[in-house]
Amino acid sequence: MSDRLVLLGTKGGPAIRPGGPSPTSMLLDLGGRRIVVDCGLGVSRGLVEAGMKLSELDLIFITHLHSDHVLELGPLIHTAWTTGLAKRVAVYGPQGTKALWQGFLASLSYDIATRIADEGRPDLEGLVSVYEYGPGHVFADGGLTVTALRVDHPPVTDCFALKIEGEGRSVVFSSDTAYFPPLADFARCADILVHEAMLPEGIESIVARTGNGARLREHLIASHTLAADAGRIATAAGVKRLALNHLIPADDPAFTESHWRIALAETFSGELLVGRDGLVIPL
Ligand SMILES: [Zn+2]
Ligand SMILES: [Zn+2]
């Protein structure tokens, strides 16, 4: 398995539309580990389409508990289980992740008990370990380390950028955040920075299509990063490659890849990858 990053779902926000991209999820294959970052709707399908057997599920990191990042966590693990998962899966998420997993198990208790009794499957709960993390050290095993930085995503306080290092490489994920200059230090010289991004001219189109106008506009501006500012973070960090994901807007045909490139032209001159579902980025 070669080291690579796959953007599985690249749209910001929980809504899905015909033919459009899925909410946030990513796969990082690094040093033989399968690392899933965020589990928005569509993550199971995205992993399969990226060539991963769900029974190989290994490590999952959740950046925060907004539904567009965690809605399919339980269904992913359950689907892996019904696909033959036999080894342990470790889930790392902010405070509340254990309750989310327990709630999922409770909601599927009939199905899980039935499959254990009828199909002889192993106990699902026993296959999964959930760890809740805060800022700083999150994970270390066999040369792979994961570190978290609390970012600025009101009203969510437990929202973390993640730095995953191994095999002499580092990949940094911004998670959802407003423009947050400390991210540049955190991402210093990473091989890839995956940063969320929003087009200013796209905000009005989203507000018009989604309804809930003024409040939604307020949330987007207070809690997310304009594309040009994502470029500023990448330049300050000295990263060679910037991948934009959690795109706002992501499924409006009026906005194309060239809009994103133009938005970053002034602030980032390295290699720019505009996210789309299924984009494979070799490391
Ligand atoms: Zn989000
Ligand atoms: Zn969020």
Side-chain angles (χ1 to χ4, degrees):
M1 182 200 325
S2 49
D3 293 341
R4 62 177 187 159
L5 170 68
V6 190
L7 304 182
L8 308 171
T10 53
K11 91 174 278 293
I16 58 169
R17 299 190 175 87
S22 290
T24 302
S25 61
M26 290 154 283
L27 168 66
L28 179 63
D29 285 330
L30 188 61
R33 303 298 295 261
R34 299 282 206 189
I35 306 161
V36 177
V37 177
D38 282 337
C39 290
L41 197 61
V43 62
S44 312
R45 170 64 61 187
L47 288 169
V48 169
E49 298 296 343
M52 180 177 137
K53 294 190 182 85
L54 292 185
S55 56
E56 296 169 356
L57 199 63
D58 176 9
L59 286 169
I60 299 174
F61 294 90
I62 300 296
T63 63
H64 67 302
L65 294 184
H66 262 147
S67 61
D68 53 322
H69 299 254
V70 80
L71 190 62
E72 201 169 303
L73 171 65
L76 167 63
I77 298 170
H78 184 283
T79 306
W81 178 62
T82 56
T83 310
L85 181 74
K87 62 185 176 65
R88 297 184 71 80
V89 172
V91 180
Y92 293 79
Q95 192 176 13
T97 306
K98 286 182 180 175
L100 185 109
W101 171 241
Q102 287 302 323
F104 174 80
L105 287 174
S107 73
L108 263 291
S109 58
Y110 171 78
D111 176 88
I112 293 166
T114 301
R115 289 185 194 280
I116 291 170
D118 181 43
E119 301 171 16
R121 295 192 180 275
D123 175 31
L124 176 56
E125 188 170 6
L127 281 176
V128 181
S129 304
V130 181
Y131 305 95
E132 295 184 338
Y133 70 82
H137 171 82
V138 175
F139 173 90
D141 181 40
L144 185 72
T145 65
V146 181
T147 317
L149 174 73
R150 192 187 301 278
V151 290
D152 183 21
H153 187 48
V156 182
T157 51
D158 279 348
C159 183
F160 297 98
L162 295 174
K163 176 160 53 185
I164 303 182
E165 297 169 283
E167 303 289 299
R169 299 197 173 87
S170 69
V171 180
V172 172
F173 302 88
S174 72
S175 183
D176 286 8
T177 181
Y179 178 48
F180 191 59
L183 249 178
D185 264 340
F186 185 68
R188 183 75 56 208
C189 297
D191 291 278
I192 300 178
L193 170 63
V194 182
H195 203 295
E196 71 130 276
M198 175 168 67
L199 285 174
E201 63 270 39
I203 297 174
E204 292 315 312
S205 112
I206 298 239
V207 165
R209 285 191 303 160
T210 310
N212 195 23
R215 292 291 298 275
L216 179 59
R217 185 185 295 109
E218 248 170 59
H219 164 78
L220 291 174
I221 291 167
S223 307
H224 294 282
T225 301
L226 293 175
D229 288 334
R232 284 187 178 91
I233 297 286
T235 297
V239 300
K240 304 171 201 93
R241 293 201 277 179
L242 169 63
L244 300 181
N245 82 334
H246 200 277
L247 303 179
I248 300 173
D251 54 5
D252 183 337
F255 297 97
T256 63
E257 179 161 336
S258 66
H259 287 86
W260 296 97
R261 295 198 175 276
I262 290 164
L264 275 99
E266 305 265 292
T267 59
F268 181 69
S269 59
E271 185 185 345
L272 177 65
L273 301 144
V274 179
R276 59 182 157 72
D277 290 14
L279 179 67
V280 178
I281 304 169
L283 290 178

